[in-house]
Amino acid sequence: MADTGTATPRERYRAQIRAEIKEHAWQQIATTGASALSLNAIAKQMGMSGPALYRYYANRDELITELIRDAYRSLADTLRSTAEKAAEKAAEKAAEGGGLTGLAHAVRGWALRDPQRYLLIYGTPVPGYHAPDDITAISSQIMTLLLDAASAVPEPRNPGTPLDHHLAAHRDWAGDHPAPPAVLHRALSFWTRIHGVLSLELAGHFAGMGFDPALLFAAELDDLLSP
Amino acid sequence: MADTGTATPRERYRAQIRAEIKEHAWQQIATTGASALSLNAIAKQMGMSGPALYRYYANRDELITELIRDAYRSLADTLRSTAEKAAEKAAEKAAEGGGLTGLAHAVRGWALRDPQRYLLIYGTPVPGYHAPDDITAISSQIMTLLLDAASAVPEPRNPGTPLDHHLAAHRDWAGDHPAPPAVLHRALSFWTRIHGVLSLELAGHFAGMGFDPALLFAAELDDLLSP
DNA sequence: TGTACATCAGTGAACGCGCGTTCACTGATGTAC
DNA sequence: TGTACATCAGTGAACGCGCGTTCACTGATGTAC
């Protein structure tokens, strides 16, 4: 499908329209929210009749699933390339929390660039929706990137906490990653702190409070890396 | 309205039906999400015709607003009573982070008891919805409770961070609360860390990971209080 | 290069559905004398 | 205590709407000989 090299003109055309549909879908999600996404409305916006979209997506659910998949993929790609860039200048890595700082700002930039894309993934779930397996696979790739970066941090700070002991025995989610419990702990803290600031910021809960969320974000991160 | 003492039978009946409508509304939100809330569906579930509900709520928006108001009020009440109980045994306060620990567990208990109620307030916002002033007033009461508790914490841990300096000049959101910047900082961290763990937990992002979110919650809190 | 055929994008009509909301009404409940 | 009237909860019909989705179709594009 993505093999545009051997694609026939018709296949290329199909791929283009599919992409165009998704663009309009994102646009609509941005203004009305994900749960109100409507195929008919997208079609109208594209100057087509409603049923025409069924040439490209079997139904509404398939479109939403692809949007979610794209969002996860985009985030994973962003983090991967950030991690690779950080690896090149390895000297600075220790000072930057093993690349965690870079990843954090990559996530934040990615989320602010298109808030609805972040919220579609990490926001309030659509009741009854269950993501297919290939999507959960991408989300665990993201977890692995996090664990890699967390592993490069010089020394753990509060070893032997109750959570550390617990994680030593409950680490299935880390797959076969060799990270010690303190690193697992740090990766989880990293995730929840970033999400804590970011999701409240994107939901507008800091609006009108008058302080700069970027500094709170940085402070939460700093505290994680240099206690 | 809430003055049941001088209320006529008719007024009491009205209040009861209004409450019953809200109960069914919450029930529906729990299964289909807030954005799909339908007056007709509620009426059917209550064995009434759709238009009957318009005797009790002018329209759909008024019902949703009241649900949000109730949720905020309930959270504020929970925190207030938790804070009062903590004040009685003031001796333990210092050891418990000035009551912040108690507040944190109160929030968590409140959220887990009815996840949709928490998510309605702090989850992905309904696009285009703007809360009336009396609701933002309740949310700032909650902030004040937080600031009071954060003020009672023995000593600040990392004074003079960039965020602290920033907050010294951007503290309008704290009203006339006399808390120093380090306390403002701690209150914000408290809020975002609690929300970070809680919202990912409620959204089901820890499901299948195999560790106990309660321990991560506690660890994030501990790190805030004893660095 | 030209013709015959197959593929497939897109249309318009139609389906049944549930939504919010209005309106004129019935019938029960409460109030005033 | 009884009668006359006002209030008001709830009904059923109706409005216009947009939704997802199906179906039989037209017409353009690509393929095979």
Side-chain angles (χ1 to χ4, degrees), chain A residues 42-111:
Chain A
I42 292 173
K44 191 188 290 181
Q45 211 181 354
M46 292 177 68
M48 299 172 93
S49 72
L53 292 207
Y54 285 79
R55 291 273 160 203
Y56 302 94
Y57 292 96
N59 49 45
R60 201 188 98 115
D61 248 45
E62 191 184 296
L63 174 58
I64 291 184
T65 295
E66 187 139 324
L67 294 175
I68 293 177
R69 204 196 326 268
D70 283 359
Y72 267 112
R73 261 210 276 260
S74 165
L75 178 56
D77 289 351
T78 299
L79 295 185
R80 211 175 348 248
S81 80
T82 304
E84 281 164 12
K85 273 173 208 153
E88 292 170 10
K89 34 182 180 172
E92 307 167 21
K93 271 182 69 175
E96 279 180 1
L100 278 180
T101 305
L103 288 188
H105 288 103
V107 173
R108 189 174 140 90
W110 184 87

Side-chain angles (χ1 to χ4, degrees), chain B residues 10 13-14 49 51 55-56:
Chain B
R10 243 181 195 152
Y13 180 78
R14 275 185 67 80
S49 72
R55 291 272 160 201
Y56 302 96

Side-chain angles (χ1 to χ4, degrees), chain B residues 20-100:
Chain B
E20 210 169 306
I21 291 171
K22 284 194 279 185
E23 269 175 47
H24 283 92
W26 281 116
Q27 201 173 311
Q28 198 183 303
I29 284 178
T31 62
T32 67
S35 57
L37 205 166
S38 145
L39 293 191
N40 284 318
I42 292 173
K44 192 188 288 182
Q45 212 180 355
M46 291 177 68
M48 298 171 95
S49 72
L53 292 208
Y54 286 79
R55 291 272 160 201
Y56 302 96
Y57 291 97
N59 50 45
R60 201 187 99 114
D61 248 43
E62 192 184 295
L63 174 58
I64 291 184
T65 295
E66 186 139 325
L67 293 175
I68 294 176
R69 204 196 324 269
D70 283 359
Y72 268 111
R73 262 210 276 259
S74 164
L75 178 57
D77 288 350
T78 299
L79 295 185
R80 211 175 348 248
S81 79
T82 303
E84 281 164 12
K85 273 174 207 154
E88 291 171 9
K89 34 183 182 174
E92 306 166 21
K93 273 182 69 177
E96 278 179 1
L100 279 180

